[in-house]
Amino acid sequence: MFPPFTLRYARLPERFYAHVEPVPVREPHLVAFNRPLAEALGFELSAFDAEEAAVWFSGNVVPRGAEPLAQAYAGHQFGGFVPQLGDGRAVLLGEVTDRDGRLRDIQLKGAGRTPFSRGGDGRSPLGPVLREYLVSEAMHALGVPTTRALAAVTTGERVMRGIPEPGAILTRVASSHIRVGTFQYFAARGDIDGVRELAGHVIERHYPALESRQGGERYLGLLEAVQARQAALIAKWMGVGFIHGVMNTDNTSVSGETIDYGPCAFMEQYDPKMVFSSIDEGGRYAYSNQPWIAQWNLARLAETLLPLIDDDSERAVERATELLQRFPEQYEREWLAVMRAKLGLVSEKPGDKALIEALLAAMHRGRADFTLTFRRLANVAESAAAEAALVELFERPEEIAGWLEEWRERLAQEEQGENERVQRMRRANPAFIPRNHRVQQALTAAMDENDYGPFETLLEIITHPFDDQPGREEYLRPAEPTERVFRTFCGT
């Protein structure tokens, strides 16, 4: 069933990981399977059997050629450094080469205790597994770089998270699971050779254009490449109103993918200070802070690479600092590109930033829904008759009315035709997102009633986010006051 494994990470020195077998579960049952992703990965599906698949994706049987391991890493968690974290409930089976020639990790999340579990049970409740499945697949459909969900299996066992909850295992696919915290793990131990070997592995796997560089330029180039991908990634998060919730360095992938969906959520009413994570009491990872936290995390990566960038520590700091100081400009460039597309703008004009910020300010004061505002703006670009539906989203309609005049004046400076503009805007502004109350309804039905119908319906809808989907208009609307979800939880 599985394609051949290549085991690149397992061939690194053994201090990079711990060999560990998934802990068998009592009664595995396949509740979700991503067939298109499986086909893209090269799985043999001609004789697919759900019961057999449950055995594989639970870890009860290890696929031929896999060498299961738990990766070692450290990390800053809410600003405090923890020198050893690691995969406490995840097992990397190995890497496969997909049909496009890309190397992809396959990992079982919730597969039992590992040497990095730190007293935990290594398991996952069903709720967080289904949440990650839904949100990661929605992000992929939205065009945001992300880990993917391949399968979800219930275990037939209960896990204790205050109360007994049904257990589950997620099969996750990623370009890799290497984090900023992976570099920190070796740097914290003074293991410069480990940092160097890890950097070489990352360059070979994710940034092969750097292979020809020599000496410190090679590692400075790595920092520059990771920084560029983080700037682009966070700009895309901001463009869809996504709040990660726990942007710790151990949750920051060096490949530039969104990883570790815990207390994540999509914003409804626009508020730059919005926080959903139940543990983020100080708002460190609020929506508007995400770009600057990304820069802070990149600075932590830079610290690990300093001895490789230059033997002269002062010169190394100077060169890394100069690079990191470019991040705000890089991010703003990426963000402006995302937001111009959402407004139907192709050319770049000096007043665009002010125009975008004026709309966001009006949305904030008017308590307007983030996703619907931009989607209905695309409708207004097609027909002035759609303006009333946009204005009704605002508690202070006069503000958006004035802004629309400025926007139309700016559109008049564009050369693209109306039809092209409307199509571009609809490809940049989703109609459907995994709204928090809909996600919670799907999870509750699955956990409390063993009913996966709401989960399957929601998954179908959010993986076609730019389509109008007649008959599913109820999934467009924000939560009613009694339905609102203000806090989300890791659940681990």
Side-chain angles (χ1 to χ4, degrees):
M1 183 181 181
F2 280 76
F5 286 94
T6 62
L7 305 177
R8 302 281 183 89
Y9 203 86
R11 297 296 171 257
L12 291 171
E14 291 201 0
R15 66 187 187 281
F16 281 62
Y17 52 81
H19 287 290
V20 60
E21 295 288 320
V23 179
V25 300
R26 187 176 65 204
E27 192 178 337
H29 177 69
L30 186 70
V31 295
F33 179 62
N34 193 336
R35 192 178 186 98
L37 176 57
E39 290 173 345
L41 290 171
F43 276 72
E44 174 51 58
L45 301 177
S46 59
F48 179 79
D49 179 87
E51 290 187 7
E52 181 184 7
V55 172
W56 294 112
F57 293 127
S58 65
N60 278 14
V61 173
V62 174
R64 180 181 300 174
E67 290 187 17
L69 59 86
Q71 292 176 303
Y73 52 84
H76 276 88
Q77 300 193 318
F78 289 89
F81 185 63
V82 183
Q84 179 169 302
L85 293 167
D87 288 330
R89 63 186 183 117
V91 174
L92 176 67
L93 296 178
E95 307 92 359
V96 301
T97 302
D98 69 14
R99 295 190 188 278
D100 292 328
R102 298 172 300 176
L103 207 60
R104 312 287 289 279
D105 279 6
I106 298 182
Q107 183 193 71
L108 302 180
K109 189 174 179 181
R113 285 181 53 79
T114 80
F116 303 112
S117 294
R118 296 184 298 162
D121 59 13
R123 293 303 191 188
S124 176
L126 177 60
V129 164
L130 296 183
R131 178 184 293 276
E132 179 159 349
Y133 199 114
L134 285 168
V135 180
S136 64
E137 286 306 297
M139 292 283 271
H140 173 72
L142 289 166
V144 181
T146 179
T147 59
R148 301 284 307 277
L150 178 60
V153 172
T154 53
T155 63
E157 301 171 353
R158 294 273 169 173
V159 295
M160 287 297 300
R161 298 295 184 270
I163 60 173
E165 299 183 42
I169 296 171
L170 176 75
T171 302
R172 184 163 71 179
V173 175
S175 293
S176 81
H177 287 83
I178 302 169
R179 311 140 189 277
V180 170
T182 317
F183 282 85
Q184 291 181 293
Y185 178 83
F186 297 103
R189 287 157 176 74
D191 186 355
I192 305 306
D193 288 339
V195 175
R196 182 180 290 106
E197 184 131 19
L198 180 63
H201 176 82
V202 170
I203 288 170
E204 178 186 9
R205 184 159 182 176
H206 298 299
Y207 305 102
L210 298 174
E211 291 273 24
S212 61
R213 294 199 186 181
Q214 302 296 316
E217 293 302 318
R218 175 181 173 89
Y219 305 106
L220 193 66
L222 174 59
L223 178 60
E224 182 177 25
V226 174
Q227 178 166 299
R229 288 199 187 174
Q230 284 294 316
L233 175 66
I234 306 304
K236 288 182 169 66
W237 287 5
M238 303 296 278
V240 294
F242 176 73
I243 302 171
H244 184 280
V246 192
M247 286 180 66
N248 297 330
T249 57
D250 54 291
N251 294 336
T252 302
S253 167
V254 297
S255 70
E257 290 180 324
T258 314
I259 192 171
D260 290 334
Y261 293 90
C264 59
F266 285 79
M267 183 164 51
E268 293 197 328
Q269 288 183 0
Y270 177 72
D271 181 352
K273 299 302 181 185
M274 182 65 71
V275 173
F276 283 99
S277 171
S278 63
I279 57 177
D280 192 4
E281 296 178 357
R284 177 181 175 88
Y285 299 137
Y287 173 79
S288 61
N289 285 349
Q290 292 181 135
W292 323 125
I293 290 295
Q295 185 181 27
W296 192 90
N297 290 346
L298 288 163
R300 307 290 75 76
L301 174 62
E303 289 168 351
T304 72
L305 296 173
L306 290 176
L308 307 182
I309 291 172
D310 202 300
D311 292 336
D312 185 316
S313 60
E314 291 187 6
R315 194 159 54 231
V317 169
E318 181 179 339
R319 300 193 70 191
T321 300
E322 180 184 1
L323 176 58
L324 290 165
Q325 287 174 343
R326 298 179 206 160
F327 179 83
E329 181 181 348
Q330 284 180 288
Y331 166 74
E332 182 172 288
R333 185 166 57 248
E334 297 284 356
W335 178 77
L336 283 172
V338 167
M339 300 306 290
R340 282 192 180 101
K342 293 178 78 66
L343 297 190
L345 307 178
V346 175
S347 63
E348 300 179 9
K349 301 291 183 183
D352 289 348
K353 182 180 178 183
L355 182 69
I356 295 163
E357 290 178 338
L359 173 59
L360 294 175
M363 290 166 62
H364 188 203
R365 290 190 295 266
R367 300 172 63 83
D369 183 83
F370 185 91
T371 300
L372 287 183
T373 295
F374 285 103
R375 183 68 176 191
R376 292 186 184 180
L377 189 64
N379 296 339
V380 174
E382 182 177 37
S383 171
E387 186 172 319
L390 171 62
V391 172
E392 73 178 13
L393 295 174
F394 289 74
E395 291 183 359
R396 299 170 64 174
E398 67 279 0
E399 296 203 21
I400 186 61
W403 181 87
L404 284 169
E405 292 182 15
E406 297 180 31
W407 175 62
R408 289 191 171 103
E409 291 176 4
R410 174 64 180 85
L411 289 184
Q413 302 174 41
E414 294 287 306
E415 295 182 0
Q416 62 180 329
E418 181 180 290
N419 288 339
E420 181 186 0
R421 174 184 299 126
V422 171
Q423 292 305 312
R424 283 176 177 270
M425 289 184 70
R426 287 188 172 149
R427 290 195 298 269
N429 295 307
F432 297 93
I433 57 169
R435 292 186 178 272
N436 309 322
H437 67 295
R438 290 292 181 183
V439 172
Q440 192 57 52
Q441 289 167 6
L443 303 192
T444 299
M447 292 186 296
D448 294 352
E449 302 169 28
N450 197 34
D451 178 6
Y452 290 86
F455 169 83
E456 292 164 357
T457 298
L458 183 58
L459 180 64
E460 169 66 21
I461 291 169
I462 63 179
T463 51
H464 298 84
F466 302 105
D467 299 343
D468 285 328
Q469 303 191 47
R472 288 171 163 171
E473 289 80 7
E474 64 182 297
Y475 287 86
L476 291 170
R477 69 169 179 82
E480 298 293 338
T482 57
E483 298 174 316
R484 288 175 185 164
V485 176
F486 295 102
R487 288 291 179 265
T488 53
F489 302 84
C490 286
T492 55

